[in-house]
Amino acid sequence: MTDSVRKTVRDNLKKRYRAERYFRWFGVISVGFGLLCLVALFGDIFSKGIGAFRQTAVELEVFFDPDVLGVSASAEEAKIRTANFDGLYKAVLRERFPEVTTRGDRRVLYRLLSTEAAFDLQALSMANPDLIGQTRKIWLLADDDVDMYFKYGRSGEQVGRLSEAQQAWAEQLIAQGAVKTRFNTGLFTNGDSRDPEIAGVKGAVLGSLFTLMVTFLISFPVGVAAAIYLEEFAPKNKLTDFIEVNINNLAAVPSIIFGLLGLAVFINYFGVPRSVPLVGGLVLSLMTLPTVIISSRASITAVPPSIREAALGIGASKVQVVLHHVLPLAMPGMLTGAIIGMARALGETAPLLMIGMVAFIIDPPSGVLDPATVLPVQIYLWADSAERAFTERTSAAIMVLLVFLIVMNGLAVWLRSRLETRW
Amino acid sequence: MAGINTMIDEGRTQDDVAPLTAVEMPRQESIDENYETVGSPLLHNPLVKTRNVNVFYAEKQAIFNVNLDIAKNEVIAMIGPSGCGKSTFLRCLNRMNDTIDTCRVQGDIVLEGQDIYDRSVDAVELRARVGIVFQKPNPFPKSVYENVAYGPRIHGLVNRKSDLDDIVEDSLKRAGLWEEVKDELEGSGTGLSGGQQQRLCIARTIAVSPDIILMDEPCSALDPIATAKIEELIAELRENYTIAIVTHNMQQAARVSSRTAYFHLGKLIEVGETEIVFTRPVHPLTEAYITGRFG
Ligand SMILES: Nc1ncnc2c1ncn2[C@@H]1O[C@H](COP(=O)(O)OP(=O)(O)OP(=O)(O)O)[C@@H](O)[C@H]1O
Ligand SMILES: [Mg+2]
């Protein structure tokens, strides 16, 4: 190398390093921006939703008055079940605030507690009938407006519809230490409700689970079989090219169209009931199928041809090559693809609106043929509700959905590292 | 350094090559469709008989009118410049070409009186009789044991686990790999060294006791020591198997084979006893290739 050449190279080197530095900085900034957006989004959801995991309760002295209830401690179970617990919690409130006398005021007073209080009292009495006739201090579920007031309203934030009088009563209770927040188990054990304080995500979570189960059971085997056929057996001709183009197209079709298709075919033509996870799963598997086929084909092509030749060379038949060698090697990739497709299906709302999974359903489903809703639809429904307490729950439901997604994606990573064979 | 370079270069200077090609050109053109293979391509009582074999990849012809016999228990080497169709021809012998959609084979390839391209012949069964070892070692990403046991298992050669164990051990011994892997049969086949992997592939092939073993440049990915081991192995295997080996290494062809076939641009130019082909080639193209003037 002559000196002049060496100098040119050195000068160029400087330029090359500078370009590299810029490139690296650009990368760092891009990643940073992405992370920032993520943190902002999660931070917002988290700060809004975290409150929903705690729930306000009010402690009251409850006299299980046989006269109000209309039953005695020795009554049979069925009688106790139908006793007037509604009247009981109202009586308890009246006793606690004897100064409230007019009917109108009393009606407002009753709204300090959730109507769920009656069911709580019922459950207690049924578990222990001896309570009837006795007096106990019991924590009862507060109404959502009280909940909001206790959690946010006292610091001046305008959050609820609590009247002046109600606020005064609440303050009185708070001053006595008779108000606290406790972990909101109902959020996970209840179905949907018009009353935010007893609305839970159980129905939506189960609905999502059942729907995804149906989706997986249909789209995975069908998708894998289609991919294997197209990659390994189908002749390469115009027809298979045409099919390939259409599969790629299907993957990009807006999901609502699958919903319309499902409505027309599954519900109207085949008579599958509306609003059930079965039909939701069918529609979502139509939507996921192209993704599964495409990712499965990609992982089949990634299996080195030398493995196929090796097996063919010692006399394995085509099917044996596929089942013994190609599938095991392609399986991790196929599963990852399927799970990613499922994760997308999990967050899908539009097609499910078309097939009636947007209905207001209180009871959590116990099978694929029970009416249900799913998490994203639940989020949509709650986000649409006026009560401030539902805003909080919307964020909580989003957090549950995110956990669901993290679990699924984690599963994909775990499966991949578990099943992967190196060659 | 400079000294050695000049010494090597001395052999073939520009002037040396130029007149030679000038002389070759008309010769090459003269190998038309009706060329005849020189030497002794045909034998009495061959194991494999190929007649008028033409192979096409789509429109492109890769093999022209090849006639070649292979005797039982011989090692035949196939040599020739890159792209001349050695692999293509070799793969015809166990119908591996079936797996390539565009590939068409014409002519007769007869194994022990049976045309292997006949409709009644099953390619799967044929490949159990005519095994193949590839250029790049390609063990299955499974255990050493499973690699060898796979063939016997799919062909249903054994019923008992102990018989299978015996086959695995025997095959690994014949492939000269037993001593190295006997303690880790459950270890991954892909975790072995390149040379060991190739011997594992040979063991896998002989586990189904084929009549013929095809080898397509089995040593080209290996170092000299691993190569020497494989060559030793071929010398041992020739007692029980018929072997057709494609190689780019002329010394190797000379060492392991009893007959040699020289291919050129899809045509079988010359076939003969290895010694004769390497010392007194008849065809000028063969001579040019052997003496390293092209290829
Ligand atoms: N799958 C294929 N499709 C189309 N053409 C092919 C295919 N395989 C080989 N050919 C062509 O056939 C001719 C012979 O190829 P082949 O692989 O048999 O050569 P070869 O003698 O084995 O070469 P090498 O020594 O480099 O391995 C070449 O011209 C090649 O381009
Ligand atoms: Mg080749």
Side-chain angles (χ1 to χ4, degrees), chain B residues 143-209:
Chain B
S143 70
V144 170
Y145 183 94
E146 280 305 316
N147 263 282
V148 184
Y150 183 69
R153 200 177 274 151
I154 57 171
H155 292 296
L157 299 184
V158 285
N159 297 319
R160 288 212 311 270
K161 173 90 169 73
S162 61
D163 291 346
L164 192 59
D165 290 350
D166 289 345
I167 290 189
V168 170
E169 181 176 341
D170 185 52
S171 308
L172 285 171
K173 274 183 177 156
R174 282 174 191 232
L177 191 60
W178 177 251
E179 288 305 319
E180 288 155 70
V181 299
K182 67 179 174 202
D183 297 325
E184 37 198 325
L185 289 177
E186 293 313 315
S188 167
T190 46
L192 301 175
S193 77
Q196 288 175 325
Q197 287 187 19
Q198 195 61 299
R199 277 179 284 152
L200 178 60
C201 293
I202 295 176
R204 180 176 69 188
T205 304
I206 56 186
V208 287
S209 31

Coordinates of all heavy atoms in Angstrom, one line a residue, chain B residues 143-209:
Chain B
S143 N -30.8 -38.5 18.1 CA -29.7 -39.2 18.7 C -29.0 -40.0 17.6 O -29.5 -40.4 16.6 CB -30.1 -40.0 19.8 OG -30.8 -41.1 19.4
V144 N -27.7 -40.4 18.0 CA -26.9 -41.2 17.1 C -27.7 -42.5 16.8 O -27.8 -43.0 15.7 CB -25.5 -41.5 17.8 CG1 -24.8 -42.6 17.0 CG2 -24.7 -40.2 17.8
Y145 N -28.2 -43.1 17.9 CA -28.9 -44.4 17.8 C -30.1 -44.2 16.9 O -30.3 -45.0 16.0 CB -29.4 -44.8 19.2 CG -30.1 -46.1 19.3 CD1 -29.4 -47.3 19.5 CD2 -31.5 -46.2 19.0 CE1 -30.1 -48.5 19.6 CE2 -32.1 -47.4 19.0 CZ -31.4 -48.6 19.3 OH -32.1 -49.8 19.3
E146 N -30.9 -43.2 17.1 CA -32.1 -43.0 16.2 C -31.7 -42.8 14.8 O -32.4 -43.2 13.9 CB -32.9 -41.8 16.7 CG -33.7 -42.0 17.9 CD -34.7 -43.2 17.7 OE1 -35.3 -43.2 16.6 OE2 -34.8 -44.0 18.6
N147 N -30.6 -42.1 14.5 CA -30.2 -41.9 13.2 C -30.0 -43.3 12.4 O -30.5 -43.4 11.3 CB -28.8 -41.2 13.1 CG -29.0 -39.7 12.9 OD1 -29.2 -39.3 11.8 ND2 -29.0 -38.9 14.0
V148 N -29.3 -44.2 13.1 CA -29.0 -45.5 12.5 C -30.3 -46.4 12.5 O -30.6 -47.1 11.5 CB -27.9 -46.2 13.2 CG1 -27.5 -47.5 12.5 CG2 -26.7 -45.2 13.2
A149 N -31.1 -46.3 13.6 CA -32.2 -47.2 13.7 C -33.4 -46.8 12.8 O -34.2 -47.6 12.5 CB -32.7 -47.2 15.2
Y150 N -33.3 -45.5 12.3 CA -34.5 -45.1 11.6 C -34.9 -45.9 10.3 O -36.0 -46.3 10.2 CB -34.3 -43.6 11.1 CG -35.5 -43.0 10.5 CD1 -36.7 -42.8 11.2 CD2 -35.5 -42.7 9.1 CE1 -37.8 -42.3 10.5 CE2 -36.6 -42.2 8.5 CZ -37.7 -42.0 9.2 OH -38.8 -41.5 8.6
G151 N -33.8 -46.2 9.5 CA -34.1 -47.0 8.3 C -34.7 -48.4 8.6 O -35.8 -48.7 8.1
P152 N -34.0 -49.2 9.4 CA -34.5 -50.5 9.7 C -35.9 -50.4 10.3 O -36.8 -51.2 10.0 CB -33.6 -51.0 10.8 CG -32.3 -50.3 10.6 CD -32.7 -49.0 10.0
R153 N -36.2 -49.4 11.1 CA -37.5 -49.3 11.7 C -38.6 -49.0 10.7 O -39.6 -49.7 10.7 CB -37.5 -48.1 12.7 CG -38.6 -48.2 13.8 CD -38.4 -47.2 14.8 NE -37.6 -47.5 15.9 CZ -36.9 -46.6 16.6 NH1 -36.9 -45.4 16.3 NH2 -36.1 -47.0 17.6
I154 N -38.4 -48.0 9.8 CA -39.5 -47.7 8.8 C -39.7 -48.8 7.8 O -40.7 -49.0 7.3 CB -39.2 -46.4 8.1 CG1 -37.9 -46.4 7.3 CG2 -39.3 -45.2 9.0 CD1 -37.8 -45.2 6.4
H155 N -38.6 -49.6 7.6 CA -38.8 -50.7 6.7 C -39.3 -52.0 7.4 O -39.5 -53.0 6.7 CB -37.5 -51.0 5.9 CG -37.1 -49.9 5.0 ND1 -37.9 -49.6 3.9 CD2 -36.1 -49.0 5.0 CE1 -37.3 -48.6 3.2 NE2 -36.2 -48.2 3.9
G156 N -39.4 -51.9 8.7 CA -40.0 -53.0 9.4 C -39.0 -54.2 9.4 O -39.4 -55.3 9.4
L157 N -37.7 -53.9 9.4 CA -36.7 -55.0 9.3 C -36.6 -55.8 10.6 O -36.1 -56.9 10.7 CB -35.3 -54.5 8.9 CG -35.3 -53.7 7.6 CD1 -33.8 -53.3 7.3 CD2 -35.8 -54.6 6.5
V158 N -37.0 -55.2 11.7 CA -36.8 -55.8 13.0 C -38.1 -55.8 13.8 O -38.9 -54.9 13.6 CB -35.7 -55.2 13.8 CG1 -34.3 -55.5 13.3 CG2 -35.9 -53.7 13.9
N159 N -38.2 -56.7 14.7 CA -39.4 -56.7 15.6 C -39.0 -56.5 17.0 O -39.8 -56.0 17.8 CB -40.1 -58.1 15.5 CG -40.7 -58.3 14.1 OD1 -41.2 -57.4 13.4 ND2 -40.5 -59.5 13.6
R160 N -37.8 -56.9 17.3 CA -37.4 -56.7 18.7 C -36.4 -55.7 18.9 O -35.5 -55.4 18.1 CB -36.8 -58.1 19.2 CG -37.9 -59.2 19.4 CD -37.5 -60.1 20.5 NE -36.1 -60.5 20.4 CZ -35.8 -61.6 19.7 NH1 -36.7 -62.4 19.1 NH2 -34.5 -62.0 19.6
K161 N -36.4 -55.0 20.0 CA -35.5 -54.0 20.4 C -34.1 -54.5 20.3 O -33.1 -53.8 19.9 CB -35.9 -53.4 21.8 CG -34.9 -52.4 22.3 CD -35.3 -51.0 22.0 CE -34.5 -50.0 22.7 NZ -33.1 -49.8 22.4
S162 N -33.9 -55.7 20.8 CA -32.5 -56.2 20.9 C -31.9 -56.4 19.5 O -30.7 -56.2 19.2 CB -32.4 -57.5 21.6 OG -33.2 -58.5 21.0
D163 N -32.8 -56.8 18.5 CA -32.3 -56.9 17.1 C -31.9 -55.6 16.6 O -30.9 -55.5 15.9 CB -33.5 -57.5 16.2 CG -33.7 -59.0 16.6 OD1 -32.9 -59.6 17.3 OD2 -34.7 -59.5 16.2
L164 N -32.7 -54.6 16.9 CA -32.4 -53.3 16.4 C -31.1 -52.8 17.0 O -30.2 -52.2 16.3 CB -33.6 -52.3 16.8 CG -33.5 -50.9 16.2 CD1 -33.6 -51.1 14.7 CD2 -34.7 -50.1 16.7
D165 N -30.9 -53.1 18.3 CA -29.6 -52.7 18.9 C -28.5 -53.4 18.2 O -27.4 -52.7 17.9 CB -29.6 -53.2 20.4 CG -30.6 -52.4 21.2 OD1 -31.1 -51.4 20.7 OD2 -30.8 -52.8 22.4
D166 N -28.7 -54.6 17.8 CA -27.6 -55.3 17.1 C -27.3 -54.6 15.7 O -26.2 -54.5 15.4 CB -28.0 -56.8 16.8 CG -28.0 -57.6 18.1 OD1 -27.4 -57.0 19.1 OD2 -28.6 -58.7 18.2
I167 N -28.4 -54.3 15.0 CA -28.2 -53.7 13.7 C -27.4 -52.4 13.9 O -26.5 -52.0 13.1 CB -29.5 -53.4 13.0 CG1 -30.1 -54.7 12.6 CG2 -29.3 -52.5 11.8 CD1 -31.4 -54.6 11.7
V168 N -27.8 -51.6 14.9 CA -27.2 -50.3 15.1 C -25.7 -50.5 15.4 O -24.9 -49.8 14.8 CB -27.9 -49.5 16.3 CG1 -27.1 -48.3 16.7 CG2 -29.3 -49.1 15.8
E169 N -25.4 -51.4 16.3 CA -24.0 -51.7 16.6 C -23.2 -52.1 15.4 O -22.2 -51.6 15.1 CB -24.0 -52.7 17.8 CG -22.5 -53.0 18.2 CD -22.4 -53.9 19.4 OE1 -23.5 -54.1 20.1 OE2 -21.4 -54.5 19.6
D170 N -23.8 -53.1 14.7 CA -23.1 -53.6 13.6 C -22.8 -52.6 12.5 O -21.7 -52.4 12.0 CB -24.0 -54.8 13.0 CG -23.3 -55.5 11.9 OD1 -22.1 -55.9 12.1 OD2 -23.9 -55.6 10.8
S171 N -23.9 -51.7 12.2 CA -23.7 -50.7 11.2 C -22.6 -49.7 11.6 O -21.8 -49.3 10.8 CB -25.0 -50.0 11.0 OG -26.0 -50.9 10.7
L172 N -22.7 -49.3 12.9 CA -21.7 -48.3 13.4 C -20.3 -48.9 13.4 O -19.4 -48.2 13.1 CB -22.1 -47.9 14.8 CG -23.3 -46.9 14.9 CD1 -23.7 -46.7 16.3 CD2 -22.9 -45.5 14.3
K173 N -20.2 -50.2 13.6 CA -18.9 -50.9 13.6 C -18.4 -50.9 12.1 O -17.2 -50.5 11.9 CB -19.0 -52.3 14.1 CG -18.9 -52.4 15.6 CD -18.9 -53.8 16.1 CE -18.6 -53.9 17.6 NZ -19.2 -55.1 18.1
R174 N -19.3 -51.2 11.2 CA -18.8 -51.3 9.8 C -18.4 -49.9 9.3 O -17.6 -49.7 8.5 CB -20.0 -51.8 8.9 CG -20.1 -53.2 8.9 CD -21.3 -53.5 8.2 NE -21.8 -54.9 8.3 CZ -22.0 -55.7 7.3 NH1 -21.9 -55.3 6.1 NH2 -22.4 -56.9 7.5
A175 N -19.1 -48.9 9.8 CA -18.8 -47.5 9.4 C -17.6 -46.9 10.2 O -17.3 -45.8 10.0 CB -20.0 -46.6 9.6
G176 N -17.0 -47.8 11.1 CA -15.9 -47.4 11.8 C -16.1 -46.3 12.8 O -15.2 -45.5 13.1
L177 N -17.3 -46.2 13.3 CA -17.7 -45.1 14.2 C -18.0 -45.7 15.6 O -18.0 -44.9 16.6 CB -18.9 -44.4 13.7 CG -19.3 -43.1 14.3 CD1 -18.2 -42.1 14.2 CD2 -20.6 -42.5 13.7
W178 N -18.1 -47.0 15.7 CA -18.6 -47.6 17.0 C -17.7 -47.1 18.2 O -18.3 -46.7 19.2 CB -18.7 -49.1 16.8 CG -19.1 -49.8 18.1 CD1 -18.3 -50.5 18.9 CD2 -20.4 -49.8 18.7 NE1 -19.0 -51.0 20.0 CE2 -20.3 -50.5 19.9 CE3 -21.6 -49.2 18.4 CZ2 -21.4 -50.8 20.7 CZ3 -22.7 -49.4 19.2 CH2 -22.5 -50.2 20.4
E179 N -16.4 -47.3 18.0 CA -15.5 -47.0 19.2 C -15.7 -45.6 19.7 O -15.6 -45.3 20.8 CB -14.1 -47.2 18.7 CG -13.7 -48.7 18.6 CD -14.0 -49.5 19.8 OE1 -13.8 -49.0 20.9 OE2 -14.5 -50.7 19.7
E180 N -16.0 -44.7 18.7 CA -16.1 -43.3 19.1 C -17.4 -42.9 19.8 O -17.5 -41.9 20.5 CB -15.8 -42.4 17.9 CG -14.4 -42.4 17.4 CD -14.2 -42.0 15.9 OE1 -14.5 -40.9 15.6 OE2 -13.9 -43.0 15.1
V181 N -18.5 -43.6 19.4 CA -19.8 -43.2 19.9 C -20.5 -44.2 20.8 O -21.6 -43.9 21.3 CB -20.8 -42.8 18.8 CG1 -20.2 -41.7 17.9 CG2 -21.0 -44.1 17.9
K182 N -19.8 -45.3 21.1 CA -20.6 -46.4 21.8 C -21.1 -45.9 23.1 O -22.1 -46.5 23.6 CB -19.7 -47.6 21.9 CG -18.5 -47.5 22.8 CD -17.8 -48.8 22.8 CE -16.5 -48.6 23.6 NZ -15.5 -49.6 23.3
D183 N -20.4 -45.0 23.8 CA -20.8 -44.6 25.1 C -21.8 -43.4 25.1 O -22.4 -43.1 26.1 CB -19.6 -44.1 25.9 CG -18.6 -45.2 26.1 OD1 -19.1 -46.4 26.3 OD2 -17.4 -45.0 26.1
E184 N -22.0 -42.9 23.9 CA -23.0 -41.8 23.9 C -24.0 -42.0 22.7 O -24.1 -41.1 21.9 CB -22.4 -40.4 23.8 CG -21.1 -40.4 23.0 CD -20.2 -39.2 23.4 OE1 -20.8 -38.1 23.6 OE2 -19.0 -39.4 23.3
L185 N -24.6 -43.1 22.6 CA -25.5 -43.4 21.5 C -26.7 -42.4 21.6 O -27.4 -42.2 20.6 CB -26.0 -44.8 21.6 CG -24.9 -45.9 21.2 CD1 -25.5 -47.3 21.3 CD2 -24.5 -45.6 19.8
E186 N -27.0 -41.9 22.8 CA -28.2 -41.1 23.0 C -27.8 -39.6 22.7 O -28.7 -38.7 22.7 CB -28.8 -41.2 24.3 CG -29.4 -42.6 24.6 CD -30.3 -43.0 23.4 OE1 -31.1 -42.2 22.9 OE2 -30.2 -44.2 23.0
G187 N -26.5 -39.3 22.5 CA -26.1 -38.0 22.2 C -26.6 -37.6 20.8 O -26.9 -38.5 20.0
S188 N -26.6 -36.3 20.5 CA -27.2 -35.8 19.3 C -26.3 -36.2 18.1 O -25.0 -36.0 18.2 CB -27.4 -34.3 19.3 OG -27.6 -33.8 18.0
G189 N -26.8 -36.6 17.0 CA -26.1 -36.9 15.8 C -25.4 -35.7 15.2 O -24.3 -35.8 14.6
T190 N -26.1 -34.5 15.4 CA -25.5 -33.3 14.8 C -24.4 -32.7 15.7 O -23.8 -31.8 15.3 CB -26.6 -32.3 14.6 OG1 -27.4 -32.2 15.8 CG2 -27.6 -32.6 13.5
G191 N -24.2 -33.3 16.9 CA -23.2 -32.8 17.7 C -21.8 -33.4 17.4 O -20.8 -33.1 18.0
L192 N -21.8 -34.4 16.5 CA -20.5 -35.0 16.1 C -19.7 -34.1 15.2 O -20.2 -33.1 14.6 CB -20.8 -36.4 15.4 CG -21.6 -37.4 16.2 CD1 -21.9 -38.6 15.3 CD2 -20.8 -37.8 17.4
S193 N -18.4 -34.5 15.0 CA -17.6 -33.7 14.1 C -18.0 -34.0 12.6 O -18.7 -35.0 12.4 CB -16.1 -34.1 14.3 OG -15.9 -35.3 13.7
G194 N -17.6 -33.2 11.7 CA -18.0 -33.4 10.3 C -17.7 -34.8 9.8 O -18.6 -35.5 9.2
G195 N -16.5 -35.3 10.1 CA -16.1 -36.6 9.6 C -16.9 -37.7 10.3 O -17.4 -38.7 9.6
Q196 N -17.2 -37.5 11.6 CA -18.0 -38.5 12.3 C -19.4 -38.5 11.8 O -20.0 -39.5 11.6 CB -18.0 -38.2 13.8 CG -16.7 -38.5 14.5 CD -16.7 -38.0 15.9 OE1 -17.3 -37.0 16.3 NE2 -16.0 -38.7 16.8
Q197 N -19.9 -37.3 11.5 CA -21.3 -37.2 10.9 C -21.4 -38.0 9.6 O -22.4 -38.7 9.4 CB -21.7 -35.7 10.7 CG -21.9 -35.0 12.0 CD -22.5 -33.6 11.7 OE1 -23.0 -33.3 10.6 NE2 -22.4 -32.7 12.7
Q198 N -20.4 -37.8 8.8 CA -20.4 -38.5 7.5 C -20.4 -40.0 7.7 O -21.1 -40.7 7.0 CB -19.3 -38.0 6.6 CG -19.4 -38.3 5.1 CD -20.7 -37.7 4.5 OE1 -21.8 -38.0 4.9 NE2 -20.5 -36.9 3.5
R199 N -19.6 -40.5 8.6 CA -19.6 -41.9 8.9 C -20.9 -42.4 9.5 O -21.3 -43.5 9.2 CB -18.4 -42.3 9.8 CG -17.1 -42.4 9.0 CD -15.9 -42.7 9.8 NE -15.5 -41.6 10.6 CZ -14.8 -41.6 11.8 NH1 -14.6 -42.8 12.3 NH2 -14.5 -40.5 12.3
L200 N -21.5 -41.5 10.3 CA -22.8 -41.8 10.8 C -23.8 -41.9 9.6 O -24.7 -42.8 9.6 CB -23.3 -40.7 11.8 CG -24.7 -40.9 12.4 CD1 -24.8 -42.2 13.2 CD2 -25.0 -39.7 13.2
C201 N -23.7 -41.1 8.7 CA -24.6 -41.1 7.5 C -24.4 -42.4 6.7 O -25.3 -43.0 6.2 CB -24.4 -39.9 6.6 SG -24.9 -38.4 7.3
I202 N -23.1 -42.8 6.7 CA -22.8 -44.1 6.0 C -23.4 -45.3 6.8 O -24.0 -46.2 6.2 CB -21.3 -44.3 5.8 CG1 -20.8 -43.2 4.8 CG2 -21.0 -45.7 5.3 CD1 -19.3 -43.2 4.6
A203 N -23.2 -45.2 8.1 CA -23.8 -46.2 9.0 C -25.3 -46.3 8.8 O -25.9 -47.4 8.7 CB -23.5 -46.0 10.4
R204 N -25.9 -45.1 8.7 CA -27.4 -45.1 8.5 C -27.8 -45.7 7.2 O -28.8 -46.4 7.1 CB -27.8 -43.6 8.5 CG -29.2 -43.3 8.4 CD -29.5 -41.8 8.5 NE -28.9 -41.1 7.4 CZ -28.9 -39.8 7.3 NH1 -29.4 -39.0 8.3 NH2 -28.4 -39.1 6.3
T205 N -27.0 -45.5 6.2 CA -27.3 -46.1 4.9 C -27.1 -47.6 4.9 O -28.0 -48.3 4.4 CB -26.4 -45.5 3.8 OG1 -26.5 -44.1 3.8 CG2 -26.7 -46.0 2.4
I206 N -26.0 -48.1 5.5 CA -25.8 -49.5 5.5 C -26.7 -50.3 6.5 O -26.9 -51.5 6.4 CB -24.3 -49.9 5.7 CG1 -23.8 -49.4 7.0 CG2 -23.5 -49.5 4.5 CD1 -22.3 -49.6 7.1
A207 N -27.4 -49.5 7.4 CA -28.2 -50.2 8.3 C -29.4 -50.9 7.7 O -30.0 -51.9 8.2 CB -28.7 -49.2 9.4
V208 N -29.8 -50.4 6.5 CA -30.9 -51.1 5.8 C -30.4 -52.1 4.8 O -31.1 -52.6 4.0 CB -31.8 -50.1 5.1 CG1 -32.7 -49.3 6.0 CG2 -31.0 -49.1 4.2
S209 N -29.1 -52.5 4.9 CA -28.4 -53.4 4.1 C -28.8 -53.3 2.6 O -29.4 -54.2 2.0 CB -28.5 -54.9 4.5 OG -29.8 -55.1 5.1

